[in-house]
Structure formats: structure tokens, C-alpha cells
Amino acid sequence: MNKNCLVIGAGMAGLTAARTLQQNGWQTTVLDKGRGLGGRLATRRIEAGKADHGAQYFTVRTPEFEKLVATMQQVGVVKPWDLRTSQHPLFVGVEGMNAVAKFLANGLDVRTNERVVSIAQNDTDCTATTETGNRFTASHVIITAPAPQVISLLKDSGIALPEQQVNDLQSIVYAPCLAVMVVLNQPSQIPVPGSLKFDNGPVAWVADNQQKGISPQLPTLTIHASPAFSRAHLESNLDQTGAQLIEALREWIPADTVVSYQVHRWRYSLAERTQPDPFLVAQTPFSLLIGGDGFGMGNVEGAFLSGWNMAQHLLQYP
Ligand SMILES: Cc1cc2nc3c(=O)[nH]c(=O)nc-3n(C[C@H](O)[C@H](O)[C@H](O)COP(=O)(O)OP(=O)(O)OC[C@H]3O[C@@H](n4cnc5c(N)ncnc54)[C@H](O)[C@@H]3O)c2cc1C
């Protein structure tokens, strides 16, 4: 069996799978439709500052992940963030959450701006064709896109899974999230250590990226709308929705402190309902594994475990 694998998605799950396979002598190519890598490990430059607008932090609960996080901490990629809201240790990227993805991608063959539009089986291999017309061939394929995107890709490729596997993919549900990144002209009034969580109302979370340490020169905030608000306003005018969310936090964000803001629409943010197993072995004539954060814990650590377990599965091949 040839030891090469195409990995679709350069987020936590895909990069972990590719890195683990490559460390064990496999040849891997990672394809991502995004301009940059990292998926929902996302950090944006905004004016002279920065803001994490996807995942805000990650938990460490399992020994496999603990090992990776210890390595990343040693080389200065991540640091603890003591929010005192979790019984598990929480970590953030020292330069932003996207730095975690960049660390994992080091030494990997990652092709960005490559949206896979179809997968087809050849004699012994399979080929992924991207929107740019490029074709990539390997013996094994791993897909780590959110489940609804996997379902579309398989349909567009004419690949029919057994009913049970289709049901399993369809049962995975993600909350959307509207994320607002705000630039302030003075340090924010968010209390130390730099975040607030809300159980009711339009806002679910606000974080101060300056206190978090990723935007030392310029105070910036990240606001995440609640799932209910995000669902109701997903297609609304983004500027107006951003203003509404900032207004909802007026107590902490005085009007005359806002310099500018940007809004990002996440159609898939945190998984609300996941599959318990870390990945799915697709019943296809070629070797196809489907994983990502829709399998397991439904967060950064869950995505890591999914990627790691998919790699372990393939490493069993002689
Ligand atoms: C707003 C928000 C807040 C969050 N907060 C937290 C948090 O605080 N803590 C936490 O642990 N988790 C949080 N999460 C969830 C966390 O970010 C995810 O669980 C994790 O990053 C998912 O990793 P993944 O690799 O499974 O998926 P992704 O990061 O989504 O990676 C999948 C990749 O596949 C690519 N892709 C999709 N389709 C194709 C295609 N056809 N061709 C090529 N590429 C394709 C995408 O571009 C993407 O880069 C949050 C997410 C969001 C959006």
C-alpha cells in the first residue's frame, strides 16, 4: 500500500493528521480553500492591531494533546490563559490562535486557495480536483471540512455513502457565529483577565485582545454573538449587525472609544451536536476518512484528537 495521503482542510484536524503521518514517513499534501491556513484557528490583522476572531482559547484534557501543547509552550507558540472558568487548563496562541496552525504546518506541503470540488477514484488511487483545475492524486484521502460541506462535496463527486453514514454526517450540527472585531482608542473596560461571558442577550462572549497579549500596541476586542442572535441575523447587513452588537456592550465600550470595526460571518462555529467517534471510515471503494471537530468534543482539542486518530488508523496499514 502506498503511504501517501491527501488531506482536505488545513485546520487543526487536517494539519494534525498530516503532521502525524509525515512524522511517520508518509507523504502528505494538504489542500485548503482559504487564502491562509488554520480554518477556525483564525487571527486577523486589524489596523495596527490583531484579533482572534474564531476560536478564543483551547482546553487540554487528554494526554495526547497535553504532549503537543507542552511542546508548543516550550517553543513559545502557546501560553496559559487563566480565565478561572474551566476546571481544565486553558491556552491561547502567544501571537494569536492562528500561530498554532502555522506551527503545525511547518514542513508540510500545504496548498492554500485550492478548493476541492470533486474526488474521483482511479485504478488504485483517488484524485481530488480543485476549483483552479489542479489535480492531486494519492492512495488515501482525509476530509476535515465541517460535515455539511463534506456532504455537498461527496454529492458533487457522485459518491454515495450508505444511509447510516449519511445519517451520521447529517446529525452533526454547528452553531453559526457573527464575530465583530473592534479597534478602540484607549484600553478597554473589560475586567482582568480580559473576557466576559453572557448567558442571555445578543452577545455570548467578548475578549480583549490587548489583555490577552496578541495586540500589545492597539486595544482591540472580539465580540461573538450568541447562537440565537447569529442564526436570526446571519444574512443581515453586517455593518448594522456589528453596530448593534457593540451597542449591546455599551457599559464596557463607550461610544467615543470605538475607532473602527469589522464583522466576520462564521456559518459553522462550535459544533452543537457531534458524533461520538473521532472519525468515520467512509464505505467507499477507495480509502476515505472523514473527521474534524464534528467528531468527538466539538472544539479545538476534539479536532486535534480527530486528526490524530485518523493518522493512527492509517498508520496501521502495513
Ligand atoms: C467563532 C468561533 C469561536 C470558537 N471558540 C472556540 C473556543 O473558544 N475553544 C475551542 O476549543 N473551540 C472554539 N471554536 C471551535 C474551533 O475553532 C474548531 O472546533 C476547530 O478549530 C475546528 O478545526 P477543524 O480542523 O475540525 O475544522 P476547520 O478549522 O474548519 O478546518 C477545516 C478546513 O477545511 C477547509 N475546507 C472546507 N471545504 C473545503 C474544500 N472543499 N476544499 C478545500 N478546503 C476546504 C476550510 O477552509 C477549513 O480551513 C470556535 C469556532 C468559532 C468559529
Side-chain angles (χ1 to χ4, degrees):
M1 183 67 75
N2 286 335
K3 295 188 170 183
N4 53 50
C5 185
L6 271 181
V7 179
I8 302 175
M12 186 57 163
L15 292 173
T16 300
R19 185 170 185 262
T20 312
L21 288 170
Q22 195 153 306
Q23 284 171 340
N24 286 277
W26 281 52
Q27 196 261 318
T28 63
T29 303
V30 187
L31 306 175
D32 200 291
K33 66 183 166 75
R35 263 188 298 149
L37 51 81
R40 282 169 278 163
L41 291 173
T43 307
R44 187 181 289 186
R45 289 197 177 279
I46 169 167
E47 300 197 12
K50 270 198 239 173
D52 282 332
H53 59 296
Q56 299 293 292
Y57 56 78
F58 56 85
T59 51
V60 181
R61 305 172 201 211
T62 55
E64 295 84 8
F65 196 43
E66 198 178 348
K67 222 168 117 190
L68 171 68
V69 174
T71 306
M72 291 198 291
Q73 194 175 358
Q74 245 169 26
V75 296
V77 173
V78 300
K79 64 177 184 186
W81 194 19
D82 185 11
L83 289 186
R84 299 181 199 97
T85 53
S86 167
Q87 64 198 94
H88 306 286
L90 302 184
F91 285 82
V92 296
V94 172
E95 298 286 332
M97 294 294 278
N98 189 252
V100 172
K102 287 187 177 148
F103 171 83
L104 294 175
N106 193 16
L108 295 179
D109 177 14
V110 181
R111 316 284 179 96
T112 51
N113 290 311
E114 294 283 13
R115 178 194 294 270
V116 176
V117 290
S118 72
I119 310 166
Q121 189 190 5
N122 318 321
D123 289 344
T124 53
D125 291 341
C126 29
T127 297
T129 304
T130 61
E131 212 166 39
T132 56
N134 289 330
R135 290 155 72 86
F136 300 87
T137 297
S139 314
H140 305 267
V141 178
I142 285 177
I143 311 182
T144 63
Q149 296 178 338
V150 177
I151 294 170
S152 304
L153 176 59
L154 295 181
K155 191 164 164 249
D156 294 346
S157 306
I159 296 171
L161 297 182
E163 195 180 340
Q164 183 56 50
Q165 294 203 323
V166 174
N167 290 344
D168 288 349
L169 287 177
Q170 281 175 341
S171 73
I172 298 170
V173 177
Y174 292 87
C177 181
L178 292 166
V180 192
M181 292 145 274
V182 190
V183 176
L184 303 176
N185 59 15
Q186 60 184 62
S188 88
Q189 298 180 16
I190 306 296
V192 176
S195 77
L196 291 168
K197 219 171 167 178
F198 302 91
D199 293 328
N200 300 300
V203 175
W205 163 270
V206 57
D208 178 332
N209 294 297
Q210 190 174 40
Q211 289 192 52
K212 207 174 164 184
I214 70 164
S215 189
Q217 314 298 346
L218 189 70
T220 72
L221 300 177
T222 300
I223 302 170
H224 282 165
S226 68
F229 183 93
S230 299
R231 279 199 169 90
H233 294 84
L234 200 57
E235 307 305 336
S236 304
N237 176 289
L238 288 182
D239 276 353
Q240 284 170 13
T241 309
Q244 210 176 328
L245 290 164
I246 294 170
E247 182 60 35
L249 293 174
R250 194 49 79 209
E251 189 180 339
W252 296 276
I253 313 177
D256 56 356
T257 64
V258 175
V259 176
S260 66
Y261 64 91
Q262 298 177 10
V263 185
H264 184 85
R265 183 191 283 124
W266 292 104
R267 290 190 187 280
Y268 308 107
S269 66
L270 278 161
E272 290 179 326
R273 202 165 63 219
T274 62
Q275 277 292 313
D277 293 334
F279 61 94
L280 182 150
V281 182
Q283 285 179 35
T284 43
F286 60 98
S287 165
L288 171 63
L289 303 182
I290 300 171
D293 71 337
F295 296 83
M297 284 185 205
N299 56 15
V300 171
E301 185 169 13
F304 163 83
L305 289 172
S306 174
W308 188 81
N309 278 292
M310 285 191 282
Q312 299 307 317
H313 178 86
L314 292 185
L315 291 174
Q316 288 172 17
Y317 282 88

